[in-house]
Amino acid sequence: MRPFEYERASDANGAVAAVSRRPGAVFLGGGTNLVDLMKLGVASPDLLVDVTRLPFGTVETLPDGGVRVGAAVRNSDLAADPVIRERYPMLSQALLAGASGQLRNLATTGGNLLQRTRCVYFQDVTTPCNKREPGSGCSARAGYHRELAILGASEACIATHPSDMAVAMAALDAVVRTYGPDGERTIPLTGLHRLPGEEPERDTVLQHGELITAVDLPPLAFATNSRYRKVRDRASYAFALVSVAAALDIADGVVRDVRIALGGVAHKPWRATKAEEALRGAPASEESFRAAAEAELADARPLPGNAFKVPLTRNVIVRTLLDLA
């Protein structure tokens, strides 16, 4: 048994204060990832501060036409929200592609963003893992790495971020709102998660005790023409080998604007900016889509066991864009 304390927060100030003053304290949302890591011995917090009763459980339309999603909104509720389904279908599709119905009923928006990698070596405390134990080595590089990163990896870590929801939010230019020891701040979702570099143990740029309170989705008219496509080993309850979230705006056969993000290929949701730049002003054709995908994947550095992800990612990008076109 691993003893720990439990505390239910009554307000954000109390939650932040409780976690900030103890290095071993963590926030508890739905617990769908944290509890698993505690069972495996990967995480051993000495205090869980339950934040699910804080007033962050609503989806509301903002004056500028955007949408604010509270950090405590359950994944199932967000996927079913009529505004999300109509204005941001890729987000609803991404949420429904994740986990199972039972888990989506528990998992929260904030917790989904902060879930940790499913790399088998990270979850196995008997093996070296720089993310779990800095300086111990990366077992995956010479071991099983079929599901791991081809973009943005380092010698220290090739883990991938597991969230489907975060990929769609990255494509939508979402902004994360937080409250911490130094007050409130906003972080572009594309800047929330880190690439591993020499510090793979740091998943995000959040400070200890900094609490996600909401995620803002900016108004994006052409996001109504969007899609999330996920390739995985089985039809449900599996993490992405490769996923693509894309929105496309076409006029007179020419791409006016586009948003693309990739999942299953990097330590963070990967915003495909090179592909986007290649497509703006280009013909909305399979040839243009393929060239854009190739431009994005030019920097891919796969290992032998996951080299298949390069052509797979290219083909999924092209297929998704063709569907939208």
Side-chain angles (χ1 to χ4, degrees):
M1 297 294 292
R2 299 180 181 89
F4 60 89
E5 298 177 45
Y6 170 87
E7 179 180 320
R8 180 175 290 170
S10 57
D11 56 51
N13 284 328
V16 169
V19 172
S20 297
R21 64 174 173 256
R22 290 176 63 165
V26 296
F27 297 116
L28 174 67
T32 57
N33 183 216
L34 175 60
V35 173
D36 283 346
L37 295 179
M38 291 173 66
K39 290 177 179 179
L40 293 169
V42 175
S44 301
D46 57 28
L47 171 64
L48 302 185
V49 178
D50 188 337
V51 295
T52 56
R53 305 297 178 90
L54 300 186
F56 305 134
T58 60
V59 180
E60 56 184 302
T61 302
L62 299 173
D64 67 355
V67 175
R68 178 163 296 164
V69 180
V73 173
R74 305 291 178 171
N75 286 178
S76 54
D77 292 335
L78 185 59
D81 186 273
V83 174
I84 299 300
R85 293 178 63 186
E86 178 183 353
R87 298 188 191 177
Y88 311 100
M90 72 160 85
L91 178 54
S92 180
Q93 293 163 12
L95 286 158
L96 293 173
S100 66
Q102 294 93 329
L103 288 171
R104 292 193 295 270
N105 286 340
L106 276 177
T108 62
T109 299
N112 187 296
L113 292 176
L114 298 180
Q115 63 183 303
R116 308 204 70 190
T117 185
R118 264 55 176 199
C119 174
V120 294
Y121 299 104
F122 173 73
Q123 297 191 350
D124 181 354
V125 296
T126 67
T127 62
C129 170
N130 287 320
K131 178 175 282 294
R132 191 183 65 250
E133 186 179 348
S136 62
C138 176
S139 298
R141 294 196 69 87
Y144 180 78
H145 49 254
R146 176 176 178 268
E147 300 163 0
L148 301 183
I150 59 172
L151 290 165
S154 71
E155 289 296 318
C157 183
I158 56 171
T160 51
H161 193 270
S163 174
D164 294 291
M165 181 195 79
V167 178
M169 287 185 169
L172 291 168
D173 289 319
V175 175
V176 179
R177 304 180 68 89
T178 70
Y179 180 68
D182 298 327
E184 296 181 336
R185 68 166 169 158
T186 57
I187 308 166
L189 192 135
T190 52
L192 174 67
H193 303 95
R194 299 178 64 258
L195 292 179
E198 297 303 315
E199 297 179 291
E201 70 276 12
R202 295 180 57 214
D203 290 343
T204 73
V205 299
L206 296 182
Q207 304 170 17
H208 180 65
E210 190 170 6
L211 175 67
I212 294 177
T213 60
V215 179
D216 288 352
L217 305 174
L220 185 67
F222 71 91
T224 56
N225 185 41
S226 66
R227 178 163 297 188
Y228 184 76
R229 186 183 293 273
K230 179 178 181 178
V231 178
R232 47 189 163 177
D233 284 328
R234 52 185 185 270
S236 67
Y237 200 53
F239 295 100
L241 290 170
V242 170
S243 66
V244 174
L248 191 61
D249 181 20
I250 297 173
D252 299 323
V254 174
V255 177
R256 290 196 303 192
D257 207 350
V258 61
R259 300 286 189 278
I260 305 171
L262 309 176
V265 298
H267 196 257
K268 60 184 289 184
W270 187 269
R271 182 65 179 268
T273 54
K274 292 181 179 179
E276 292 177 359
E277 290 170 5
L279 282 173
R280 291 188 182 102
S285 65
E286 181 172 355
E287 182 179 0
S288 294
F289 298 157
R290 190 168 298 277
E294 295 284 6
E296 190 63 48
L297 293 166
D299 294 329
R301 297 294 181 267
L303 293 170
N306 65 6
F308 73 95
K309 281 194 176 189
V310 177
L312 177 61
T313 304
R314 179 191 65 226
N315 292 341
V316 178
I317 292 172
V318 172
R319 181 71 264 171
T320 305
L321 293 173
L322 282 172
D323 288 348
L324 292 173

